[in-house]
PDB file of all heavy atoms in Angstrom:
ATOM      1  N   ILE P   5      51.548 303.044 176.034  1.00  0.00           N
ATOM      2  CA  ILE P   5      52.215 304.147 176.738  1.00  0.00           C
ATOM      3  C   ILE P   5      51.190 305.193 177.194  1.00  0.00           C
ATOM      4  O   ILE P   5      51.373 305.851 178.215  1.00  0.00           O
ATOM      5  CB  ILE P   5      53.307 304.744 175.816  1.00  0.00           C
ATOM      6  CG1 ILE P   5      54.289 305.587 176.595  1.00  0.00           C
ATOM      7  CG2 ILE P   5      52.749 305.531 174.670  1.00  0.00           C
ATOM      8  CD1 ILE P   5      55.648 305.003 176.591  1.00  0.00           C
ATOM      9  N   PHE P   6      50.072 305.322 176.464  1.00  0.00           N
ATOM     10  CA  PHE P   6      49.081 306.349 176.823  1.00  0.00           C
ATOM     11  C   PHE P   6      48.308 305.953 178.082  1.00  0.00           C
ATOM     12  O   PHE P   6      47.941 306.824 178.874  1.00  0.00           O
ATOM     13  CB  PHE P   6      48.145 306.630 175.647  1.00  0.00           C
ATOM     14  CG  PHE P   6      48.802 307.358 174.496  1.00  0.00           C
ATOM     15  CD1 PHE P   6      48.117 307.568 173.309  1.00  0.00           C
ATOM     16  CD2 PHE P   6      50.100 307.835 174.600  1.00  0.00           C
ATOM     17  CE1 PHE P   6      48.723 308.252 172.247  1.00  0.00           C
ATOM     18  CE2 PHE P   6      50.721 308.507 173.557  1.00  0.00           C
ATOM     19  CZ  PHE P   6      50.022 308.710 172.371  1.00  0.00           C
ATOM     20  N   ILE P   9      50.432 307.036 180.772  1.00  0.00           N
ATOM     21  CA  ILE P   9      50.352 308.491 181.001  1.00  0.00           C
ATOM     22  C   ILE P   9      49.073 308.811 181.781  1.00  0.00           C
ATOM     23  O   ILE P   9      49.103 309.597 182.738  1.00  0.00           O
ATOM     24  CB  ILE P   9      50.425 309.254 179.653  1.00  0.00           C
ATOM     25  CG1 ILE P   9      51.860 309.161 179.104  1.00  0.00           C
ATOM     26  CG2 ILE P   9      49.987 310.709 179.821  1.00  0.00           C
ATOM     27  CD1 ILE P   9      52.056 309.754 177.711  1.00  0.00           C
ATOM     28  N   ILE P  14      54.074 307.167 183.789  1.00  0.00           N
ATOM     29  CA  ILE P  14      55.185 307.860 183.139  1.00  0.00           C
ATOM     30  C   ILE P  14      54.792 309.330 182.996  1.00  0.00           C
ATOM     31  O   ILE P  14      53.608 309.650 182.887  1.00  0.00           O
ATOM     32  CB  ILE P  14      55.581 307.252 181.771  1.00  0.00           C
ATOM     33  CG1 ILE P  14      54.440 307.343 180.777  1.00  0.00           C
ATOM     34  CG2 ILE P  14      56.081 305.828 181.906  1.00  0.00           C
ATOM     35  CD1 ILE P  14      54.917 307.178 179.358  1.00  0.00           C
ATOM     36  N   PRO P  15      55.780 310.221 182.996  1.00  0.00           N
ATOM     37  CA  PRO P  15      55.462 311.655 182.977  1.00  0.00           C
ATOM     38  C   PRO P  15      55.019 312.150 181.606  1.00  0.00           C
ATOM     39  O   PRO P  15      55.384 311.572 180.566  1.00  0.00           O
ATOM     40  CB  PRO P  15      56.788 312.315 183.378  1.00  0.00           C
ATOM     41  CG  PRO P  15      57.840 311.327 183.013  1.00  0.00           C
ATOM     42  CD  PRO P  15      57.223 309.957 183.098  1.00  0.00           C
ATOM     43  N   ALA P  16      54.219 313.185 181.603  1.00  0.00           N
ATOM     44  CA  ALA P  16      53.826 313.883 180.377  1.00  0.00           C
ATOM     45  C   ALA P  16      53.437 315.292 180.788  1.00  0.00           C
ATOM     46  O   ALA P  16      53.089 315.539 181.955  1.00  0.00           O
ATOM     47  CB  ALA P  16      52.657 313.183 179.697  1.00  0.00           C
ATOM     48  N   GLU P  17      53.498 316.202 179.819  1.00  0.00           N
ATOM     49  CA  GLU P  17      53.088 317.585 180.084  1.00  0.00           C
ATOM     50  C   GLU P  17      51.574 317.656 179.863  1.00  0.00           C
ATOM     51  O   GLU P  17      51.107 317.892 178.751  1.00  0.00           O
ATOM     52  CB  GLU P  17      53.841 318.510 179.128  1.00  0.00           C
ATOM     53  CG  GLU P  17      53.769 319.962 179.490  1.00  0.00           C
ATOM     54  CD  GLU P  17      54.534 320.793 178.465  1.00  0.00           C
ATOM     55  OE1 GLU P  17      55.770 320.653 178.380  1.00  0.00           O
ATOM     56  OE2 GLU P  17      53.880 321.553 177.732  1.00  0.00           O
ATOM     57  N   PHE P  28      47.713 316.132 176.391  1.00  0.00           N
ATOM     58  CA  PHE P  28      49.103 316.356 176.808  1.00  0.00           C
ATOM     59  C   PHE P  28      49.953 316.663 175.576  1.00  0.00           C
ATOM     60  O   PHE P  28      49.609 316.289 174.445  1.00  0.00           O
ATOM     61  CB  PHE P  28      49.655 315.138 177.570  1.00  0.00           C
ATOM     62  CG  PHE P  28      49.509 313.825 176.853  1.00  0.00           C
ATOM     63  CD1 PHE P  28      50.494 313.352 176.010  1.00  0.00           C
ATOM     64  CD2 PHE P  28      48.358 313.070 177.017  1.00  0.00           C
ATOM     65  CE1 PHE P  28      50.345 312.153 175.342  1.00  0.00           C
ATOM     66  CE2 PHE P  28      48.198 311.858 176.345  1.00  0.00           C
ATOM     67  CZ  PHE P  28      49.195 311.397 175.511  1.00  0.00           C
ATOM     68  N   SER P  29      51.059 317.340 175.791  1.00  0.00           N
ATOM     69  CA  SER P  29      51.949 317.730 174.698  1.00  0.00           C
ATOM     70  C   SER P  29      52.565 316.498 174.057  1.00  0.00           C
ATOM     71  O   SER P  29      52.948 315.539 174.754  1.00  0.00           O
ATOM     72  CB  SER P  29      53.078 318.614 175.218  1.00  0.00           C
ATOM     73  OG  SER P  29      52.546 319.761 175.834  1.00  0.00           O
ATOM     74  N   ASP P  30      52.669 316.544 172.721  1.00  0.00           N
ATOM     75  CA  ASP P  30      53.344 315.453 172.000  1.00  0.00           C
ATOM     76  C   ASP P  30      54.842 315.531 172.276  1.00  0.00           C
ATOM     77  O   ASP P  30      55.433 316.616 172.273  1.00  0.00           O
ATOM     78  CB  ASP P  30      53.060 315.567 170.494  1.00  0.00           C
ATOM     79  CG  ASP P  30      53.391 314.285 169.765  1.00  0.00           C
ATOM     80  OD1 ASP P  30      54.597 313.924 169.683  1.00  0.00           O
ATOM     81  OD2 ASP P  30      52.464 313.614 169.280  1.00  0.00           O
ATOM     82  N   ILE P  31      55.444 314.371 172.482  1.00  0.00           N
ATOM     83  CA  ILE P  31      56.872 314.317 172.820  1.00  0.00           C
ATOM     84  C   ILE P  31      57.752 314.697 171.622  1.00  0.00           C
ATOM     85  O   ILE P  31      58.903 315.106 171.797  1.00  0.00           O
ATOM     86  CB  ILE P  31      57.229 312.901 173.357  1.00  0.00           C
ATOM     87  CG1 ILE P  31      58.433 312.923 174.265  1.00  0.00           C
ATOM     88  CG2 ILE P  31      57.391 311.893 172.235  1.00  0.00           C
ATOM     89  CD1 ILE P  31      58.626 311.647 175.060  1.00  0.00           C
ATOM     90  N   ASN P  32      57.199 314.612 170.425  1.00  0.00           N
ATOM     91  CA  ASN P  32      57.954 314.892 169.194  1.00  0.00           C
ATOM     92  C   ASN P  32      57.136 315.856 168.326  1.00  0.00           C
ATOM     93  O   ASN P  32      56.582 315.467 167.293  1.00  0.00           O
ATOM     94  CB  ASN P  32      58.219 313.565 168.473  1.00  0.00           C
ATOM     95  CG  ASN P  32      59.041 313.730 167.223  1.00  0.00           C
ATOM     96  OD1 ASN P  32      59.773 314.720 167.071  1.00  0.00           O
ATOM     97  ND2 ASN P  32      58.924 312.793 166.304  1.00  0.00           N
ATOM     98  N   PRO P  33      57.058 317.126 168.742  1.00  0.00           N
ATOM     99  CA  PRO P  33      56.122 318.055 168.094  1.00  0.00           C
ATOM    100  C   PRO P  33      56.419 318.306 166.620  1.00  0.00           C
ATOM    101  O   PRO P  33      57.572 318.470 166.235  1.00  0.00           O
ATOM    102  CB  PRO P  33      56.268 319.343 168.922  1.00  0.00           C
ATOM    103  CG  PRO P  33      57.558 319.208 169.660  1.00  0.00           C
ATOM    104  CD  PRO P  33      57.811 317.750 169.839  1.00  0.00           C
ATOM    105  N   GLN P  34      55.357 318.344 165.825  1.00  0.00           N
ATOM    106  CA  GLN P  34      55.461 318.566 164.381  1.00  0.00           C
ATOM    107  C   GLN P  34      54.996 319.968 163.991  1.00  0.00           C
ATOM    108  O   GLN P  34      54.882 320.277 162.801  1.00  0.00           O
ATOM    109  CB  GLN P  34      54.626 317.517 163.636  1.00  0.00           C
ATOM    110  CG  GLN P  34      55.032 316.084 163.933  1.00  0.00           C
ATOM    111  CD  GLN P  34      56.481 315.806 163.544  1.00  0.00           C
ATOM    112  OE1 GLN P  34      56.901 316.150 162.447  1.00  0.00           O
ATOM    113  NE2 GLN P  34      57.247 315.210 164.453  1.00  0.00           N
ATOM    114  N   HIS P  38      51.627 321.299 169.392  1.00  0.00           N
ATOM    115  CA  HIS P  38      51.256 319.919 169.027  1.00  0.00           C
ATOM    116  C   HIS P  38      50.950 319.154 170.306  1.00  0.00           C
ATOM    117  O   HIS P  38      51.846 318.866 171.100  1.00  0.00           O
ATOM    118  CB  HIS P  38      52.389 319.228 168.259  1.00  0.00           C
ATOM    119  CG  HIS P  38      52.033 317.859 167.748  1.00  0.00           C
ATOM    120  ND1 HIS P  38      52.925 317.077 167.025  1.00  0.00           N
ATOM    121  CD2 HIS P  38      50.898 317.116 167.832  1.00  0.00           C
ATOM    122  CE1 HIS P  38      52.355 315.934 166.692  1.00  0.00           C
ATOM    123  NE2 HIS P  38      51.122 315.926 167.196  1.00  0.00           N
ATOM    124  N   LEU P  40      48.091 316.048 172.086  1.00  0.00           N
ATOM    125  CA  LEU P  40      47.224 314.909 171.798  1.00  0.00           C
ATOM    126  C   LEU P  40      46.054 314.928 172.765  1.00  0.00           C
ATOM    127  O   LEU P  40      46.240 315.213 173.954  1.00  0.00           O
ATOM    128  CB  LEU P  40      47.995 313.596 171.979  1.00  0.00           C
ATOM    129  CG  LEU P  40      49.299 313.468 171.181  1.00  0.00           C
ATOM    130  CD1 LEU P  40      50.054 312.206 171.602  1.00  0.00           C
ATOM    131  CD2 LEU P  40      49.035 313.457 169.681  1.00  0.00           C
ATOM    132  N   MET P  86      43.456 312.158 163.229  1.00  0.00           N
ATOM    133  CA  MET P  86      43.471 310.879 163.944  1.00  0.00           C
ATOM    134  C   MET P  86      43.903 309.804 162.950  1.00  0.00           C
ATOM    135  O   MET P  86      43.196 309.521 161.991  1.00  0.00           O
ATOM    136  CB  MET P  86      42.096 310.561 164.533  1.00  0.00           C
ATOM    137  CG  MET P  86      42.136 309.372 165.485  1.00  0.00           C
ATOM    138  SD  MET P  86      40.528 309.001 166.220  1.00  0.00           S
ATOM    139  CE  MET P  86      40.401 310.276 167.463  1.00  0.00           C
ATOM    140  N   ASN P  87      45.094 309.279 163.144  1.00  0.00           N
ATOM    141  CA  ASN P  87      45.637 308.272 162.234  1.00  0.00           C
ATOM    142  C   ASN P  87      45.075 306.897 162.554  1.00  0.00           C
ATOM    143  O   ASN P  87      44.794 306.594 163.720  1.00  0.00           O
ATOM    144  CB  ASN P  87      47.164 308.245 162.350  1.00  0.00           C
ATOM    145  CG  ASN P  87      47.804 309.563 161.923  1.00  0.00           C
ATOM    146  OD1 ASN P  87      47.335 310.194 160.986  1.00  0.00           O
ATOM    147  ND2 ASN P  87      48.846 309.974 162.627  1.00  0.00           N
ATOM    148  N   GLY P  92      47.729 304.651 157.741  1.00  0.00           N
ATOM    149  CA  GLY P  92      47.375 305.951 158.310  1.00  0.00           C
ATOM    150  C   GLY P  92      48.499 306.549 159.139  1.00  0.00           C
ATOM    151  O   GLY P  92      48.413 307.691 159.572  1.00  0.00           O
ATOM    152  N   GLY P  93      49.531 305.741 159.396  1.00  0.00           N
ATOM    153  CA  GLY P  93      50.675 306.249 160.157  1.00  0.00           C
ATOM    154  C   GLY P  93      50.502 306.140 161.661  1.00  0.00           C
ATOM    155  O   GLY P  93      51.192 306.812 162.424  1.00  0.00           O
ATOM    156  N   GLN P  94      49.593 305.265 162.109  1.00  0.00           N
ATOM    157  CA  GLN P  94      49.370 305.127 163.555  1.00  0.00           C
ATOM    158  C   GLN P  94      50.507 304.326 164.187  1.00  0.00           C
ATOM    159  O   GLN P  94      50.891 303.268 163.668  1.00  0.00           O
ATOM    160  CB  GLN P  94      48.029 304.423 163.815  1.00  0.00           C
ATOM    161  CG  GLN P  94      47.677 304.349 165.293  1.00  0.00           C
ATOM    162  CD  GLN P  94      46.273 303.814 165.557  1.00  0.00           C
ATOM    163  OE1 GLN P  94      45.592 303.372 164.633  1.00  0.00           O
ATOM    164  NE2 GLN P  94      45.857 303.848 166.801  1.00  0.00           N
ATOM    165  N   THR P  95      51.042 304.843 165.285  1.00  0.00           N
ATOM    166  CA  THR P  95      52.118 304.131 165.985  1.00  0.00           C
ATOM    167  C   THR P  95      51.735 303.758 167.409  1.00  0.00           C
ATOM    168  O   THR P  95      52.311 302.835 167.976  1.00  0.00           O
ATOM    169  CB  THR P  95      53.414 304.980 166.026  1.00  0.00           C
ATOM    170  OG1 THR P  95      53.131 306.230 166.652  1.00  0.00           O
ATOM    171  CG2 THR P  95      53.954 305.205 164.623  1.00  0.00           C
ATOM    172  N   VAL P  96      50.780 304.474 167.994  1.00  0.00           N
ATOM    173  CA  VAL P  96      50.319 304.128 169.347  1.00  0.00           C
ATOM    174  C   VAL P  96      48.862 303.699 169.234  1.00  0.00           C
ATOM    175  O   VAL P  96      48.017 304.455 168.739  1.00  0.00           O
ATOM    176  CB  VAL P  96      50.462 305.322 170.324  1.00  0.00           C
ATOM    177  CG1 VAL P  96      49.935 304.930 171.705  1.00  0.00           C
ATOM    178  CG2 VAL P  96      51.913 305.783 170.411  1.00  0.00           C
ATOM    179  N   TYR P  97      48.592 302.467 169.705  1.00  0.00           N
ATOM    180  CA  TYR P  97      47.270 301.866 169.486  1.00  0.00           C
ATOM    181  C   TYR P  97      46.308 302.125 170.656  1.00  0.00           C
ATOM    182  O   TYR P  97      45.787 301.217 171.287  1.00  0.00           O
ATOM    183  CB  TYR P  97      47.439 300.385 169.096  1.00  0.00           C
ATOM    184  CG  TYR P  97      47.868 300.330 167.633  1.00  0.00           C
ATOM    185  CD1 TYR P  97      49.194 300.592 167.275  1.00  0.00           C
ATOM    186  CD2 TYR P  97      46.942 300.136 166.624  1.00  0.00           C
ATOM    187  CE1 TYR P  97      49.577 300.622 165.944  1.00  0.00           C
ATOM    188  CE2 TYR P  97      47.313 300.165 165.285  1.00  0.00           C
ATOM    189  CZ  TYR P  97      48.626 300.414 164.956  1.00  0.00           C
ATOM    190  OH  TYR P  97      48.997 300.462 163.626  1.00  0.00           O
ATOM    191  N   HIS P 100      43.906 308.727 169.459  1.00  0.00           N
ATOM    192  CA  HIS P 100      44.311 310.049 169.925  1.00  0.00           C
ATOM    193  C   HIS P 100      44.103 311.045 168.805  1.00  0.00           C
ATOM    194  O   HIS P 100      44.363 310.758 167.638  1.00  0.00           O
ATOM    195  CB  HIS P 100      45.770 310.051 170.374  1.00  0.00           C
ATOM    196  CG  HIS P 100      46.706 309.365 169.423  1.00  0.00           C
ATOM    197  ND1 HIS P 100      46.818 307.987 169.366  1.00  0.00           N
ATOM    198  CD2 HIS P 100      47.545 309.853 168.491  1.00  0.00           C
ATOM    199  CE1 HIS P 100      47.694 307.662 168.438  1.00  0.00           C
ATOM    200  NE2 HIS P 100      48.147 308.776 167.876  1.00  0.00           N
ATOM    201  N   HIS P 102      45.469 314.257 167.235  1.00  0.00           N
ATOM    202  CA  HIS P 102      46.576 315.214 167.188  1.00  0.00           C
ATOM    203  C   HIS P 102      45.970 316.608 167.005  1.00  0.00           C
ATOM    204  O   HIS P 102      45.066 316.787 166.174  1.00  0.00           O
ATOM    205  CB  HIS P 102      47.469 314.958 165.972  1.00  0.00           C
ATOM    206  CG  HIS P 102      48.254 313.695 166.011  1.00  0.00           C
ATOM    207  ND1 HIS P 102      49.569 313.642 166.395  1.00  0.00           N
ATOM    208  CD2 HIS P 102      47.917 312.420 165.692  1.00  0.00           C
ATOM    209  CE1 HIS P 102      50.013 312.403 166.311  1.00  0.00           C
ATOM    210  NE2 HIS P 102      49.030 311.632 165.877  1.00  0.00           N
TER     211      HIS P 102
HETATM  212  P1  LIG R 201      50.471 308.290 165.851  1.00  0.00           P
HETATM  213  O1  LIG R 201      51.711 308.086 165.029  1.00  0.00           O
HETATM  214  O2  LIG R 201      50.038 307.001 166.513  1.00  0.00           O
HETATM  215  O3  LIG R 201      49.356 308.974 165.134  1.00  0.00           O
HETATM  216  O4  LIG R 201      50.879 309.307 166.985  1.00  0.00           O
HETATM  217  C1  LIG R 201      51.516 308.930 168.172  1.00  0.00           C
HETATM  218  C2  LIG R 201      52.094 310.186 168.760  1.00  0.00           C
HETATM  219  O5  LIG R 201      52.425 309.933 170.101  1.00  0.00           O
HETATM  220  C3  LIG R 201      53.371 310.653 168.061  1.00  0.00           C
HETATM  221  O6  LIG R 201      53.187 311.965 167.568  1.00  0.00           O
HETATM  222  C4  LIG R 201      54.428 310.566 169.153  1.00  0.00           C
HETATM  223  O7  LIG R 201      55.369 311.600 169.080  1.00  0.00           O
HETATM  224  C5  LIG R 201      53.610 310.606 170.422  1.00  0.00           C
HETATM  225  N1  LIG R 201      54.204 309.891 171.526  1.00  0.00           N
HETATM  226  C6  LIG R 201      54.719 308.624 171.497  1.00  0.00           C
HETATM  227  N2  LIG R 201      55.161 308.275 172.705  1.00  0.00           N
HETATM  228  C7  LIG R 201      54.940 309.342 173.522  1.00  0.00           C
HETATM  229  C8  LIG R 201      55.203 309.571 174.910  1.00  0.00           C
HETATM  230  O8  LIG R 201      55.741 308.742 175.640  1.00  0.00           O
HETATM  231  N3  LIG R 201      54.842 310.781 175.398  1.00  0.00           N
HETATM  232  C9  LIG R 201      54.245 311.734 174.628  1.00  0.00           C
HETATM  233  N4  LIG R 201      53.929 312.883 175.224  1.00  0.00           N
HETATM  234  N5  LIG R 201      53.975 311.547 173.321  1.00  0.00           N
HETATM  235  C10 LIG R 201      54.326 310.361 172.779  1.00  0.00           C
END
Side-chain angles (χ1 to χ4, degrees):
I5 197 115
F6 290 174
I9 288 174
I14 62 162
E17 194 181 294
F28 53 90
S29 301
D30 196 293
I31 205 167
N32 182 23
Q34 302 300 312
H38 185 180
L40 305 172
M86 190 179 283
N87 297 323
Q94 185 173 7
T95 57
V96 178
Y97 283 78
H100 46 281
H102 292 262

